[in-house]
Amino acid sequence: MAQEASHRFDMKQPPLLRLALVRLGHERHTLILTIHHILVDGWSISMLMRELFGLYDTAGDSSGMPDPAPYKTYLAWLSGQDRAESRAVWANALSGLEEPCRLTPGESRRTLVTTPEQIVRSLPAEISGLLQEQARSSGLTMNTLVQGAWALLLGALTGRDDVVFGTTVSGRPPELPGVESM
């Protein structure tokens, strides 16, 4: 698994998905799925895994699986959106922004390749409960509260009072029938 995790994807060289079956014993195996985030988001990966395990449980028989809504429905919806209005909204939201919000100095395009790292810290239940209550009483989600804290930290670290950062969202429009299965 460590070898698989250390093998980086080349965005110019497909595939951006790898499967490895590792034999652990005579009748024990582990399937390792390595997939670039550009292919799936958090929503999609759970659907992919549900379908993969469903196929495994039925020895590959897909007859009982529901047909997903066609992706062309989303593409048709997308082509009907007003691009000029969208550009205007973003231009207005980002007006006055003169440069990116960087935590480190340097070129705009980094050439340094680093291995992703995960650091896990747990909050005591009392603090977590207080944060949840603060979010609830302010009419916010916990994610919005954390994003706000990140914005304040970015401002403090960069000495700026106007910071911009992004986050990944599913972008699934709720008005499309079956969008939750796309």
Side-chain angles (χ1 to χ4, degrees):
M1 283 194 280
Q3 178 184 5
E4 197 49 42
S6 68
H7 184 129
R8 306 287 297 222
F9 285 105
D10 179 351
M11 297 298 288
K12 297 176 184 173
Q13 193 71 9
L16 299 179
L17 175 147
R18 294 189 302 267
L19 292 166
L21 184 63
V22 179
R23 172 174 267 162
L24 302 174
H26 180 65
E27 292 188 17
R28 280 191 67 217
H29 299 81
T30 294
L31 178 67
I32 302 171
L33 169 65
T34 310
I35 190 165
H36 194 283
H37 188 274
I38 201 167
L39 296 182
V40 296
D41 58 10
W43 187 298
S44 301
I45 192 70
S46 63
M47 292 184 341
L48 175 65
M49 297 310 292
R50 189 170 40 253
E51 290 179 8
L52 184 62
F53 289 129
L55 288 169
Y56 180 80
D57 287 343
T58 61
D61 180 8
S62 63
S63 62
M65 297 178 78
D67 290 331
Y71 191 66
K72 67 181 178 181
T73 305
Y74 169 72
L75 295 176
W77 172 87
L78 188 60
S79 69
Q81 302 308 298
D82 187 339
R83 290 182 182 197
E85 180 185 353
S86 181
R87 277 192 209 93
V89 166
W90 281 107
N92 182 50
L94 299 173
S95 69
L97 184 66
E98 296 177 16
E99 62 183 354
C101 181
R102 291 193 182 107
L103 289 177
T104 58
E107 298 295 317
S108 61
R109 296 201 176 250
R110 292 177 52 191
T111 56
L112 175 66
V113 176
T114 59
T115 302
E117 185 177 341
Q118 182 176 356
I119 300 172
V120 177
R121 298 285 185 263
S122 297
L123 291 175
E126 180 181 318
I127 293 174
S128 179
L130 289 170
L131 288 171
Q132 289 173 347
E133 179 52 39
Q134 179 63 49
R136 195 175 9 259
S137 67
S138 301
L140 303 171
T141 64
M142 185 60 111
N143 181 57
T144 302
L145 187 74
V146 170
Q147 296 290 339
W150 176 242
L152 291 171
L153 179 60
L154 278 178
L157 292 173
T158 61
R160 296 170 60 174
D161 61 1
D162 187 13
V163 296
V164 176
F165 59 93
T167 186
T168 305
V169 297
S170 78
R172 289 174 173 80
E175 62 270 19
L176 280 181
V179 74
E180 69 282 349
S181 69
M182 280 185 196

